[in-house]
Amino acid sequence: MLFYGTELSSRLMLGTAQYPSPEILADAVRAAQAGVVTVSLRRESAGLRAGQAFWSMIRDLGVPVLPNTAGCHTVKDAVTTAHMAREVFETDWIKLEVIGESDTLQPDMFALVEAARILTEDGFKVFPYMTEDLVGAERLLQAGCEVLMPWGAPIGSGKGLNNLFGLRALRAHFPDVPLVVDAGIGLPSHAAQAMELGYDAVLINTAVARAGDPAAMAGAFRLAVEAGRIARQADPMEERDMAVPSTPVLGRAVLA
């Protein structure tokens, strides 16, 4: 799987927030065999180099880092945070979040497209957190994005894939664009379902971090992602409205 020309070792991406301790986070990342970890940037980090022990631990895990602009509600904030993240983490990858609604943390698609255009022109490789909006997806691609990250459900809700029609439509309309389901996944079965729909990866945070045993849950998600991917490649049967006998009746003996 290639993201902006970089091959990842796994289709499971893992967030690093809300874990009980750095040690538990490290155990979860290892159990997940994550291909990418996402990290948030506090605004003071660039100037004061705060939290360096945490960043050092993340680097020691040897997993590619995807900084994000979590908590940003305007284009200006998102662009500024992205530039700070590039300085701190020495990467031009950025998960772009521009939140438009506080209760659901729904992305502001208008601001997202504008911020994506600015950052792409500044040399960033943008991973936009978006809704399953086909028109918005097209605009983001036109703005220079090569990966799209539609939500499954509101961040941290654990509701799974709320809009299967929308996610299927997005996959069908953009068959060659890497798509990652980001946000709302609560169970390994949700992750498997996303992979069965043909998505290229999933990003998980709260479902692992808030589990009673984060490392065990991370391992479960790893297996679910692998199973979902294999199932997709195996060309699964289509759903039917009526029963179809699994044992043929023709040729069977009939007892009078």
Side-chain angles (χ1 to χ4, degrees), residues 18 104-105 129 153-159 182-186 205-207 210:
Q18 307 182 50
T104 62
L105 301 180
Y129 166 60
I155 293 172
S157 68
K159 290 182 176 296
D182 174 19
I185 290 179
N205 191 165
T206 307
R210 293 298 190 184

Side-chain angles (χ1 to χ4, degrees), residues 2-23:
L2 296 176
F3 285 164
Y4 288 102
T6 298
E7 185 171 0
L8 302 184
S9 61
S10 169
R11 295 176 184 273
L12 176 56
M13 305 167 72
L14 199 65
T16 57
Q18 307 182 50
Y19 288 83
S21 71
E23 292 76 16

Side-chain angles (χ1 to χ4, degrees), residues 14 23 25-34 57 60-61 63 218 222:
L14 199 65
E23 292 76 16
L25 165 61
D27 289 343
V29 172
R30 295 188 187 101
Q33 299 180 15
M57 183 271 290
D60 289 345
L61 290 171
V63 181
R222 174 180 58 82

